[in-house]
């Protein structure tokens, strides 16, 4: 999940009311001459979908399968996006495998249809320069900010397990990611388990660094695209077309990250500028692409689910395989 990359841009916090239905499916738009409407969160200022929205390439790709986009809500955590899909207010969303597992432990109305490899450099345990924290072992007795049940909590627990530090030796402070930077910079927590969406700005100041990144932690924190199950059942050709578009364009973005930054504006709060822009370009160049979910991915998903159950984040091991869609078999 990593705005300005596309995968994090797909998550949603606010969704519009259900659209008018055709044949009982709110994704079918009778006003659009039988075209299918797919509800996706607005992509913001950067990433594959932002560029596709601006240049019309996404509209063109979906028109081939008689579909069109309704941009709904804005980027946000996966948990509310999962709730929106369950409530039939959203068709597509993205999130980490970790937040996906916690959402699947409830009553999911969605399935995952793509995977992007774990981020080796853009996620990790962030500390302030001069904090005196030089290794994961130094976190013992400290306070670390995490988002509950998602990427942050996973990264911290995984890092501690690898370093042989008992989880109860570190105080987890549960905070919303968009509220954590100020808390870290005020010294109210000692570290922040975080991903590139929020890490880029902090690293760009030159006043923070990763004490361990995803590669050092051994993270299996994939990003996954999810689709509402009812939509996938009714419109597999649209899901396939969306996958094909995201796969090709994410590869383009990796080759030329700068072209996918600041798509609509290079100024203001949504723009990535200065040193932060350099950091983001570096992260994107090393990031994965949007791919089908393969057998090795499933094995690693299940390891994360097992780890979460061991760490008491979930009450039991979630069966990820039961909620996956083979996008290559869609037609």
């Amino acid at each position: 999940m990593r705005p300005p990359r596309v995968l994090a841009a797909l998550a949603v916090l606010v969704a519009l009311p259900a659209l008018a239905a055709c044949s009982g499916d709110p994704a079918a738009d009778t006003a659009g001459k039988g075209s299918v409407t797919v509800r996706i969160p607005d992509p913001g200022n950067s990433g594959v979908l932002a560029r596709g929205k601006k240049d019309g390439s996404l509209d063109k790709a979906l028109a081939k399968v008689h579909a069109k986009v309704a941009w709904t809500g804005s980027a946000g955590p996966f948990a509310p996006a999962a709730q929106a899909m369950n409530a039939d207010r959203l068709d597509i969303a993205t999130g980490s495998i970790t937040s996906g597992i916690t959402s699947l432990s409830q009553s999911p109305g969605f399935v995952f249809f793509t995977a992007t490899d774990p981020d080796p450099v853009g996620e990790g345990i962030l500390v302030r320069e001069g904090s005196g924290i030089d290794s994961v072992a130094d976190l013992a007795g400290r306070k670390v900010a995490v988002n509950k049940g998602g990427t942050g909590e996973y990264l911290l627990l995984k890092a501690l397990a690898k370093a042989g530090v008992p989880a109860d030796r570190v105080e987890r402070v549960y905070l919303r990611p968009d509220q954590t930077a100020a808390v870290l910079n005020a010294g109210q927590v000692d570290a922040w388990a975080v991903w590139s969406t929020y890490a880029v700005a902090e690293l760009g100041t030159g006043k923070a660094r990763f004490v361990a990144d995803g590669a050092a932690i051994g993270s299996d924190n994939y990003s996954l695209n999810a689709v509402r199950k009812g939509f996938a059942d009714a419109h597999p050709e649209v899901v396939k077309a969306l996958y094909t578009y995201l796969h090709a364009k994410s590869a383009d973005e990796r080759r030329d990250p700068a072209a996918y930054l600041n798509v609509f504006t290079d100024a203001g709060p949504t723009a990535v500028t200065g040193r932060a822009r350099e950091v983001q370009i570096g992260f994107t160049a090393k990031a994965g692409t949007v791919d089908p979910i393969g057998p090795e991915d499933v094995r690693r998903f299940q390891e994360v689910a097992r780890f979460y159950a061991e760490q008491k984040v979930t009450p039991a091991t979630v069966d990820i395989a039961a909620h996956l869609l083979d996008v290559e078999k869609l037609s």
Side-chain angles (χ1 to χ4, degrees):
M1 0 138 258
R2 345 183 147 88
R5 290 194 46 81
V6 59
L7 296 168
L10 284 173
V12 66
L13 182 59
V14 182
L16 294 179
L19 301 177
C22 175
S23 301
D25 191 329
D29 180 12
T30 54
K33 299 181 181 179
S35 65
V36 175
T37 298
V38 54
R39 297 165 293 181
I40 303 175
D42 188 89
N45 191 33
S46 296
V48 166
L49 288 186
R51 184 161 171 175
K53 180 182 179 181
K54 184 176 182 179
D55 66 18
S57 59
L58 179 61
D59 289 336
K60 232 179 245 189
L62 291 180
K64 293 176 182 177
V65 289
H66 309 290
K68 62 182 181 179
V69 176
W71 300 111
T72 68
S74 58
F78 182 71
Q83 292 171 0
M85 285 188 290
N86 292 344
D88 196 6
R89 298 195 308 270
L90 185 69
D91 299 311
I92 301 291
T94 198
S96 64
I97 182 60
T98 48
S99 57
I101 286 169
T102 53
S103 294
L104 286 173
S105 66
Q106 299 164 21
S107 300
F110 58 88
V111 291
F112 294 109
F113 68 101
T114 75
T116 300
D117 285 346
D119 188 349
V121 294
E123 64 179 15
I125 311 299
L126 193 74
V127 299
R128 289 167 292 134
E129 290 289 2
S131 65
I133 301 172
D134 298 312
S135 69
V136 173
D138 292 337
L139 295 174
R142 310 268 193 160
K143 296 180 180 180
V144 181
V146 301
N147 60 312
K148 186 174 179 62
T151 292
E153 189 161 27
Y154 169 78
L155 291 172
L156 175 61
L157 292 172
K158 186 77 172 176
L160 295 176
K162 186 172 183 179
V165 178
D168 61 6
R169 292 287 311 282
V170 175
E171 182 180 346
R172 277 170 267 175
V173 179
Y174 294 118
L175 293 171
R176 275 177 31 190
D178 60 352
Q179 297 176 333
T180 306
V183 177
L184 175 71
N185 291 322
Q188 294 174 306
V189 295
D190 302 294
W192 181 9
V194 64
W195 60 102
S196 64
T197 304
Y198 302 97
V200 164
E202 298 307 304
L203 294 167
T205 67
K207 297 178 181 179
R209 59 184 168 83
F210 280 136
V211 72
D213 61 15
I217 291 169
S219 171
D220 276 332
N221 187 40
Y222 282 78
S223 286
L224 307 179
N225 279 319
V227 58
R228 181 172 60 84
K229 192 171 185 311
F231 186 94
D233 290 342
H235 309 291
E237 74 288 353
V238 179
V239 179
K240 181 67 172 285
L242 183 59
Y243 156 72
T244 301
Y245 181 85
L246 295 175
H247 174 71
K249 295 300 182 179
S250 63
D252 290 344
E253 183 186 26
R254 182 174 181 174
R255 285 189 290 267
D256 186 12
Y260 290 80
L261 283 175
N262 304 330
V263 172
F264 290 100
T265 179
D266 58 6
T270 64
V272 184
T273 58
R275 172 61 181 154
R277 181 176 180 275
E278 296 174 23
V279 171
Q280 182 62 63
I281 288 172
F283 285 172
T284 303
K286 296 178 181 178
T289 55
V290 178
D291 296 317
I293 299 170
E296 174 61 16
D297 302 324
V298 178
R299 185 191 68 76
R300 292 171 70 180
F301 296 171
Q302 289 297 155
E303 280 299 302
V304 177
R306 180 194 58 75
F307 180 74
Y308 254 26
E310 283 182 356
Q311 297 290 327
K312 311 297 186 194
V313 177
T314 56
T317 301
V318 174
D319 181 11
I320 300 293
H323 304 282
L324 303 178
L325 181 65
D326 189 344
V327 71
E328 293 184 301
K329 291 183 179 177
L330 298 179
S331 58

